[in-house]
Amino acid sequence: MTQNRGVNIASFGIVSAIGLGTEETLLSLQQMKSGIRRYPKSDDAQGCEDMPWQILDVPVGRIDLSDNELRDLAERRVGLKQRHQSRTTSLALLAAHEAIKNSGLSEEWIYDAALISATTVGGMDVTPRFYAPYVANEHGKGTDGRLRYVAEHPCASHTEVMRYVLNTGVRCHSTISTACSSGANAILFGARLISSGLIDVAIVGGVDPLCAFTMGGFNSLMILSHDVCHPLSADRSGLNLGEGAAYLVLTSDRVKAPSVGRLVGWANANDAHHQTALSDRGNGAQLSMGQALSMSKRLPGYGLEDVRYINLHGTATPNNDASETAAIVDLWQGTTPPPFGSTKGLTGHTLAAAGAIEAAFSLMAIEQQTLWANVGHSQPMGNGIPDPILTNTTAKVDAVLSNSLGFGGNCTSLVFAKP
């Protein structure tokens, strides 16, 4: 059996409702400060007037910057501002630029790196603002509603902009969209490219903004909570949507770079149960967790018994939380599983960005030797399911298992380890 040496993680960058960068994010984690809130209907100071979350009257994990303010911030930090730049592109540029800057890698390494980005929304946030004037002006014949205003609508558009602005991904760039497991699958894909010897550096992660399309879609599924969400609680009633982006810089052993951790196990599986629901016992999650842990066990000290913390997908929907915790109970076969929790009570569910954002949280848990609290927990789930982590707890954290479970039963698990 080939020895698993893992894939090095040189750095990461992150933006979400709890912070514009790693420093702000870590402070919010340490203070258990949630970014989820309900926007009053009179609040139009940040361009929120008549937004879908206000119309639906639901809390969201929103970055308190308008689209223009976010573009201005991206211009100051990264150096690009386009008139019709999508919110998706702004978020992605901010997080990926921080990851590259923190990596300390030379321009040559970044130029040759693979760029793997994930999204479910793409540039759809620009589409509602385009459509009404497009129709009103006879399909773009007037000064408003021009097709160029919606040029970033396709999923891959933000990746193309990142490639150009960040001067990377020239040899290999790709966009992944597998629903809520997308960000984790981007990380998995980059790790496979490196472990197979095809490349030495990969910039991997995911991004999604809040927009009318996703708000309407999740509302139609009747899984949006009208209160702040309660992950892994008996009284959970649904999720809060959020927005953000996170990217990791992965490297092979040939690259001499500092390391914030290693990716030592990864797996993707599918329970083939339903278009939007997981199976009752979480068959797909059991497969992905078991296979990722089996891979990590080939590196001594990182098997099933060595994981000290599990970051669950934990969306606070009745189906997800019951299925995922059942999978953990079955996988650990009567023994007590390691402490676990969901961080979506802080950020909301950021869709394609979730796996990448929670990868960053996992690396921060290792760095800080801290188990992050399951913010929003209110009632034990019962049925033999242990309570999640209720408050930030200092502990020995050498390895973290992180789950991302998407629609269609697409389940991905990643195992992170100390440098």
Side-chain angles (χ1 to χ4, degrees), residues 112-178:
D112 282 338
L115 174 62
I116 315 297
S117 188
T119 187
T120 62
V121 173
M124 291 183 196
D125 61 292
V126 302
T127 311
R129 294 192 301 275
F130 154 82
Y131 183 71
Y134 175 73
V135 173
N137 287 280
E138 298 182 11
H139 303 285
K141 292 180 181 178
T143 57
D144 295 325
R146 299 290 180 88
L147 283 173
R148 64 173 176 265
Y149 296 170
V150 75
E152 289 195 13
H153 175 93
C155 273
S157 293
H158 79 281
T159 310
E160 294 294 339
V161 176
M162 291 170 70
R163 175 186 170 218
Y164 168 74
V165 175
L166 302 174
N167 199 27
T168 189
V170 175
R171 291 178 56 201
C172 172
H173 62 282
S174 182
T175 305
I176 288 178
S177 189
T178 57

Side-chain angles (χ1 to χ4, degrees), residues 192-222:
R192 290 184 65 185
L193 289 173
I194 289 175
S195 65
S196 65
L198 293 173
I199 60 169
D200 288 307
V201 180
I203 301 164
V204 294
V207 57
D208 261 329
L210 282 165
C211 74
F213 177 81
T214 46
M215 295 297 298
F218 279 85
N219 186 56
S220 71
L221 293 172
M222 296 184 289

Side-chain angles (χ1 to χ4, degrees), residues 39-306:
Y39 285 83
K41 293 187 181 299
S42 61
D43 181 7
D44 61 353
Q46 303 292 347
C48 294
E49 190 177 28
D50 296 329
M51 289 293 104
W53 47 88
Q54 291 186 307
I55 295 169
L56 295 171
D57 192 25
V58 293
V60 291
R62 183 178 185 272
I63 296 169
D64 284 334
L65 294 173
S66 69
D67 292 351
N68 286 334
E69 289 168 331
L70 203 59
R71 280 196 289 267
D72 289 342
L73 181 62
E75 180 184 25
R76 292 196 301 273
R77 292 189 181 181
V78 186
L80 174 76
K81 181 183 178 182
Q82 301 182 108
R83 183 182 175 191
H84 305 294
Q85 182 170 303
S86 69
R87 194 172 181 88
T88 302
T89 297
S90 297
L91 292 169
L93 286 173
L94 286 166
H97 177 263
E98 182 186 28
I100 292 170
K101 181 180 177 182
N102 290 344
S103 74
L105 293 177
S106 67
E107 292 182 2
E108 289 77 14
W109 279 123
I110 298 302
Y111 182 82
D112 282 338
L115 174 62
I116 315 297
S117 188
T119 187
T120 62
V121 173
M124 291 183 196
D125 61 292
V126 302
T127 311
R129 294 192 301 275
F130 154 82
Y131 183 71
Y134 175 73
V135 173
N137 287 280
E138 298 182 11
H139 303 285
K141 292 180 181 178
T143 57
D144 295 325
R146 299 290 180 88
L147 283 173
R148 64 173 176 265
Y149 296 170
V150 75
E152 289 195 13
H153 175 93
C155 273
S157 293
H158 79 281
T159 310
E160 294 294 339
V161 176
M162 291 170 70
R163 175 186 170 218
Y164 168 74
V165 175
L166 302 174
N167 199 27
T168 189
V170 175
R171 291 178 56 201
C172 172
H173 62 282
S174 182
T175 305
I176 288 178
S177 189
T178 57
C180 307
S181 60
S182 302
N185 281 332
I187 296 170
L188 180 153
F189 183 26
R192 290 184 65 185
L193 289 173
I194 289 175
S195 65
S196 65
L198 293 173
I199 60 169
D200 288 307
V201 180
I203 301 164
V204 294
V207 57
D208 261 329
L210 282 165
C211 74
F213 177 81
T214 46
M215 295 297 298
F218 279 85
N219 186 56
S220 71
L221 293 172
M222 296 184 289
I223 54 176
L224 287 182
S225 174
H226 286 264
D227 195 0
V228 175
C229 66
H230 302 294
L232 307 178
S233 299
D235 63 344
R236 65 195 185 278
S237 59
L239 57 83
N240 302 139
L241 285 172
E243 65 179 354
Y247 289 87
L248 282 62
V249 177
L250 309 181
T251 65
S252 72
D253 288 336
R254 283 184 0 105
V255 181
K256 304 304 179 186
S259 175
V260 296
R262 286 179 295 164
L263 181 59
V264 296
W266 55 82
N268 172 264
N270 198 302
D271 62 13
H273 174 71
H274 187 269
Q275 294 95 327
T276 60
L278 299 168
S279 58
D280 290 344
R281 300 307 300 183
N283 298 334
Q286 283 189 58
L287 280 170
S288 67
M289 287 189 288
Q291 291 171 8
L293 288 166
S294 176
M295 179 180 181
S296 69
K297 196 171 185 178
R298 287 156 52 190
L299 188 66
Y302 298 105
L304 183 74
E305 66 279 6
D306 302 298

Side-chain angles (χ1 to χ4, degrees), residues 314-337:
T315 61
T317 60
N319 170 256
N320 179 97
D321 292 10
S323 174
E324 191 174 12
T325 51
I328 288 172
V329 169
D330 290 351
L331 188 62
W332 263 263
Q333 296 181 345
T335 62
T336 303

